[in-house]
Short mmCIF file of all heavy atoms in Angstrom, two decimals:
data_model
loop_
_atom_site.label_atom_id
_atom_site.label_comp_id
_atom_site.label_asym_id
_atom_site.label_seq_id
_atom_site.Cartn_x
_atom_site.Cartn_y
_atom_site.Cartn_z
N MET A 1 0.82 -1.21 -0.05
CA MET A 1 -0.02 -0.01 0.03
C MET A 1 0.93 1.21 0.01
O MET A 1 2.07 1.22 0.38
CB MET A 1 -0.91 0.01 1.20
CG MET A 1 -2.10 -0.95 1.06
SD MET A 1 -3.14 -0.93 2.58
CE MET A 1 -2.15 -2.13 3.57
N ILE A 6 2.06 11.01 8.71
CA ILE A 6 2.20 12.44 9.16
C ILE A 6 2.95 12.37 10.55
O ILE A 6 2.40 11.75 11.52
CB ILE A 6 0.77 13.11 9.33
CG1 ILE A 6 -0.08 12.78 8.11
CG2 ILE A 6 0.97 14.64 9.50
CD1 ILE A 6 0.42 13.27 6.78
N GLY A 7 3.97 13.18 10.63
CA GLY A 7 4.73 13.17 11.81
C GLY A 7 5.91 12.16 11.76
O GLY A 7 6.16 11.41 12.60
N GLY A 8 6.54 12.20 10.55
CA GLY A 8 7.45 11.01 10.09
C GLY A 8 8.73 11.01 10.94
O GLY A 8 9.44 10.10 10.78
N PRO A 34 13.75 19.83 7.30
CA PRO A 34 14.45 19.15 6.27
C PRO A 34 15.79 18.47 6.79
O PRO A 34 16.27 17.56 6.16
CB PRO A 34 14.88 20.24 5.24
CG PRO A 34 14.67 21.48 5.90
CD PRO A 34 13.62 21.27 6.97
N GLY A 44 13.94 3.61 5.09
CA GLY A 44 13.36 3.12 3.84
C GLY A 44 12.14 3.93 3.44
O GLY A 44 11.65 3.65 2.33
N ILE A 52 2.89 21.21 8.45
CA ILE A 52 1.45 20.90 8.55
C ILE A 52 0.64 21.88 9.37
O ILE A 52 -0.58 22.00 9.19
CB ILE A 52 1.17 19.46 9.09
CG1 ILE A 52 1.77 19.35 10.53
CG2 ILE A 52 1.89 18.38 8.19
CD1 ILE A 52 1.34 18.11 11.29
N ARG A 62 -3.37 17.80 -1.63
CA ARG A 62 -2.30 17.37 -2.50
C ARG A 62 -1.39 16.39 -1.68
O ARG A 62 -0.78 15.46 -2.37
CB ARG A 62 -1.39 18.62 -2.94
CG ARG A 62 -2.09 19.52 -4.01
CD ARG A 62 -1.07 20.51 -4.61
NE ARG A 62 -0.54 21.42 -3.50
CZ ARG A 62 -1.16 22.61 -3.27
NH1 ARG A 62 -2.24 22.94 -3.84
NH2 ARG A 62 -0.64 23.35 -2.34
N THR A 84 -0.54 23.50 20.10
CA THR A 84 -1.20 22.30 20.45
C THR A 84 -2.60 22.25 19.74
O THR A 84 -2.96 21.23 19.09
CB THR A 84 -1.38 22.07 21.95
OG1 THR A 84 -0.08 21.91 22.48
CG2 THR A 84 -2.10 20.76 22.23
N ARG A 89 -5.41 19.26 17.06
CA ARG A 89 -6.88 19.34 16.61
C ARG A 89 -7.05 19.68 15.27
O ARG A 89 -7.45 18.92 14.36
CB ARG A 89 -7.63 20.28 17.63
CG ARG A 89 -9.13 20.15 17.21
CD ARG A 89 -9.84 21.32 18.11
NE ARG A 89 -9.40 22.64 17.75
CZ ARG A 89 -9.74 23.82 18.32
NH1 ARG A 89 -10.57 23.68 19.42
NH2 ARG A 89 -9.24 24.91 18.08
N ILE A 93 -7.82 17.26 12.00
CA ILE A 93 -9.08 17.26 11.35
C ILE A 93 -8.98 17.70 9.92
O ILE A 93 -9.63 17.02 8.98
CB ILE A 93 -9.99 18.32 12.04
CG1 ILE A 93 -10.44 17.70 13.41
CG2 ILE A 93 -11.30 18.64 11.24
CD1 ILE A 93 -11.20 18.71 14.41
N ALA A 102 -10.03 13.38 -1.11
CA ALA A 102 -9.09 12.70 -2.05
C ALA A 102 -9.39 11.26 -2.22
O ALA A 102 -8.64 10.65 -3.12
CB ALA A 102 -7.66 12.90 -1.56
N VAL A 104 -9.10 8.73 -0.11
CA VAL A 104 -8.22 7.85 0.63
C VAL A 104 -9.12 6.82 1.50
O VAL A 104 -10.18 7.23 1.96
CB VAL A 104 -7.34 8.62 1.64
CG1 VAL A 104 -6.52 7.58 2.53
CG2 VAL A 104 -6.37 9.56 0.90
N MET A 109 -5.38 7.06 13.46
CA MET A 109 -5.04 8.20 14.30
C MET A 109 -4.35 7.63 15.55
O MET A 109 -4.89 6.71 16.24
CB MET A 109 -6.24 8.86 14.66
CG MET A 109 -6.15 9.75 15.85
SD MET A 109 -4.95 11.15 15.60
CE MET A 109 -5.94 12.27 14.54
N ASP A 126 -2.23 22.00 32.90
CA ASP A 126 -1.32 22.20 31.71
C ASP A 126 -1.64 21.22 30.60
O ASP A 126 -1.26 21.46 29.45
CB ASP A 126 0.12 22.25 32.06
CG ASP A 126 0.53 23.43 32.80
OD1 ASP A 126 -0.16 24.45 32.88
OD2 ASP A 126 1.68 23.41 33.47
N PRO A 154 -2.75 4.50 22.89
CA PRO A 154 -1.77 3.87 23.80
C PRO A 154 -1.68 4.60 25.11
O PRO A 154 -1.95 5.85 25.21
CB PRO A 154 -0.46 3.93 23.00
CG PRO A 154 -0.62 5.14 22.15
CD PRO A 154 -2.13 5.17 21.73
N SER A 155 -1.32 3.94 26.18
CA SER A 155 -1.01 4.57 27.47
C SER A 155 0.39 5.21 27.45
O SER A 155 0.98 5.42 26.40
CB SER A 155 -1.24 3.57 28.59
OG SER A 155 -0.39 2.49 28.37
N GLU A 161 12.15 -2.20 25.27
CA GLU A 161 12.14 -3.03 24.17
C GLU A 161 10.67 -3.60 23.88
O GLU A 161 9.94 -3.72 24.87
CB GLU A 161 13.03 -4.24 24.46
CG GLU A 161 14.52 -3.87 24.45
CD GLU A 161 15.05 -3.29 23.13
OE1 GLU A 161 14.66 -3.92 22.14
OE2 GLU A 161 15.68 -2.24 23.07
N ARG A 165 3.17 -7.70 22.74
CA ARG A 165 1.92 -8.01 23.36
C ARG A 165 1.32 -6.76 23.99
O ARG A 165 2.04 -5.91 24.49
CB ARG A 165 2.27 -8.96 24.56
CG ARG A 165 2.89 -10.34 24.12
CD ARG A 165 3.32 -11.17 25.26
NE ARG A 165 2.13 -11.84 25.90
CZ ARG A 165 1.66 -13.02 25.48
NH1 ARG A 165 2.25 -13.62 24.39
NH2 ARG A 165 0.67 -13.58 25.95
N ASP A 167 -2.49 -5.08 26.09
CA ASP A 167 -3.68 -5.36 26.82
C ASP A 167 -4.71 -4.37 26.34
O ASP A 167 -4.63 -3.15 26.59
CB ASP A 167 -3.40 -5.15 28.28
CG ASP A 167 -4.55 -5.39 29.22
OD1 ASP A 167 -5.62 -5.64 28.72
OD2 ASP A 167 -4.47 -5.22 30.43
N SER A 172 -7.75 1.12 33.22
CA SER A 172 -6.94 2.33 33.44
C SER A 172 -5.63 2.29 32.77
O SER A 172 -5.11 1.18 32.43
CB SER A 172 -6.76 2.50 35.03
OG SER A 172 -6.09 1.34 35.44
N ALA A 173 -5.02 3.45 32.58
CA ALA A 173 -3.80 3.59 31.82
C ALA A 173 -2.59 3.04 32.60
O ALA A 173 -2.50 3.22 33.85
CB ALA A 173 -3.51 4.98 31.39
N ALA A 177 5.47 0.24 25.44
CA ALA A 177 6.61 0.64 24.73
C ALA A 177 6.22 1.33 23.34
O ALA A 177 5.38 0.81 22.63
CB ALA A 177 7.49 -0.57 24.48
N VAL A 188 -2.32 -3.04 12.26
CA VAL A 188 -3.66 -2.55 11.81
C VAL A 188 -3.61 -2.30 10.34
O VAL A 188 -4.69 -2.61 9.66
CB VAL A 188 -3.89 -1.15 12.62
CG1 VAL A 188 -5.09 -0.46 11.97
CG2 VAL A 188 -4.18 -1.47 14.10
N VAL A 198 -11.92 1.91 18.22
CA VAL A 198 -11.05 2.63 19.08
C VAL A 198 -10.28 1.54 19.91
O VAL A 198 -10.89 0.73 20.61
CB VAL A 198 -11.82 3.46 20.05
CG1 VAL A 198 -10.82 4.20 21.06
CG2 VAL A 198 -12.59 4.55 19.25
N VAL A 199 -8.93 1.51 19.71
CA VAL A 199 -8.08 0.52 20.28
C VAL A 199 -7.30 1.19 21.47
O VAL A 199 -6.33 1.84 21.21
CB VAL A 199 -7.10 -0.12 19.27
CG1 VAL A 199 -6.36 -1.28 20.02
CG2 VAL A 199 -7.90 -0.57 18.13
N VAL A 215 -10.59 -6.85 19.49
CA VAL A 215 -11.21 -5.57 19.31
C VAL A 215 -12.16 -5.62 18.10
O VAL A 215 -13.39 -5.08 18.26
CB VAL A 215 -10.20 -4.52 18.99
CG1 VAL A 215 -10.79 -3.14 18.60
CG2 VAL A 215 -9.33 -4.27 20.30
#
Side-chain angles (χ1 to χ4, degrees):
M1 284 178 280
I6 315 297
I52 63 171
R62 286 193 299 271
T84 296
R89 181 190 62 187
I93 289 173
V104 176
M109 164 62 75
D126 289 344
S155 55
E161 292 297 312
R165 304 173 74 88
D167 179 0
S172 58
V188 168
V198 176
V199 186
V215 172

